Amino acid sequence: KLVATYNGTEKVPEDYSKSLKEAMNELILSADNNWTHTWNTLPKYYYYTADGKIAKAEIHYSVEEVNPSGKYDVKYDYTKTGITTITNIAKTKWEIVKVSSNSSEVKLEGAEFTLTGKTTAAPDTTVTYTGVSGKDGVVVWKAGNDVVDTIPQGTYTLKETKAPGNYALSDATWTITVNQDGSLTISGTDVTPAQRTDETTGVVTYSYNFENTPMYKLPSTGGIGTYWYTIGGMLLMMAA
């Protein structure tokens, strides 16, 4: 839909002129019209009364998408020549899931991580997020004491700082790039993410498993162990 404003954010009445009223009707873009529309013969100025006098203001035009789908983020790009490009970017989410190397079905609680890097919006500033895996293995991220639902677009380094109980600390380091649509590009691992789609919102979530190896220990007390079996075998051989 076309939007007409003056003096900053003041909206021009749709019935200001016949041509403007017709132009401000909602449009449907599709392959049939090559996903484009051009407005012609739009008024340049808006005349109105202010303090008992006739005032004149230049009209500024923009375009907005009406009732956009919750499945997408809407991006607007404007040019000086009056061309507006509207891009629908599919929403995606991602999560890091802490699992055992023995089985991805075994979710591990209590692993701690850091995610350090620079956002696209502030490339000169280094930020660090901290994360802890919950009972479902999913890492919850925080900035300071505040839970962060979405990590901003940028490039980060993921590293485990504390392993779950009875598991060895991983020395793996992932380089994670959060893309504009919220998806990830990862180097440092060949893990293939699991994918699920929310049937209500259509948002796609990618789950990346981060593995830990169990620490096994031979019993030092409480059992006879292999030593006594060896001695017993030698005595039997001597008796024979």
Side-chain angles (χ1 to χ4, degrees):
K1 182 178 180 178
L2 186 69
V3 177
T5 59
Y6 70 99
N7 291 344
T9 59
E10 296 292 327
K11 289 191 175 182
V12 178
E14 293 187 14
D15 58 356
Y16 173 62
S17 70
K18 182 179 179 181
S19 62
L20 182 61
K21 185 175 182 179
E22 292 176 351
M24 296 182 75
N25 290 329
E26 292 184 9
L27 298 167
I28 297 177
L29 299 183
S30 67
D32 294 335
N33 53 29
N34 200 29
W35 302 98
T36 61
H37 182 79
T38 301
W39 286 273
N40 296 304
T41 64
L42 295 174
K44 185 175 181 179
Y45 297 102
Y46 175 57
Y47 295 88
Y48 60 101
T49 302
D51 297 327
K53 298 179 181 180
I54 299 298
K56 172 184 173 182
E58 186 175 356
I59 300 176
H60 295 276
Y61 294 96
S62 61
V63 181
E64 66 179 18
E65 184 171 355
V66 180
N67 298 323
S69 169
K71 298 180 182 180
Y72 298 91
D73 287 320
V74 182
K75 179 184 177 184
Y76 298 91
D77 291 307
Y78 303 97
T79 68
K80 293 181 179 180
T81 57
I83 298 175
T84 300
T85 302
I86 302 175
T87 305
N88 290 135
I89 303 172
K91 290 182 179 179
T92 57
K93 293 184 178 181
W94 58 272
E95 60 189 15
I96 303 298
V97 183
K98 173 55 67 173
V99 299
S100 172
S101 60
N102 286 346
S103 172
S104 61
E105 297 301 317
V106 178
K107 313 301 182 186
L108 303 178
E109 181 182 8
E112 297 182 9
F113 291 87
T114 57
L115 190 64
T116 304
K118 298 180 178 181
T119 66
T120 302
D124 297 327
T125 303
T126 299
V127 295
T128 297
Y129 299 94
T130 58
V132 180
S133 61
K135 291 182 178 181
D136 57 358
V138 176
V139 177
V140 176
W141 296 105
K142 289 185 176 182
N145 295 321
D146 299 325
V147 174
V148 176
D149 293 326
T150 303
I151 301 295
Q153 181 182 359
T155 300
Y156 306 89
T157 298
L158 173 70
K159 188 172 182 61
E160 185 178 50
T161 57
K162 181 181 177 181
N166 299 320
Y167 282 82
L169 182 69
S170 174
D171 60 359
T173 299
W174 293 4
T175 299
I176 293 178
T177 298
V178 181
N179 302 310
Q180 186 178 40
D181 64 352
S183 64
L184 293 190
T185 302
I186 297 181
S187 60
T189 179
D190 57 358
V191 63
T192 300
Q195 177 181 335
R196 68 179 185 275
T197 302
D198 188 301
E199 295 182 358
T200 302
T201 64
V203 174
V204 179
T205 300
Y206 295 92
S207 299
Y208 295 83
N209 287 343
F210 196 107
E211 295 183 349
N212 275 109
T213 302
M215 292 190 298
Y216 295 105
K217 293 182 180 179
L218 291 175
S220 57
T221 59
I224 58 176
T226 58
Y227 176 76
W228 290 111
Y229 282 118
T230 303
I231 296 297
M234 293 175 61
L235 290 174
L236 288 173
M237 291 176 63
M238 292 173 63

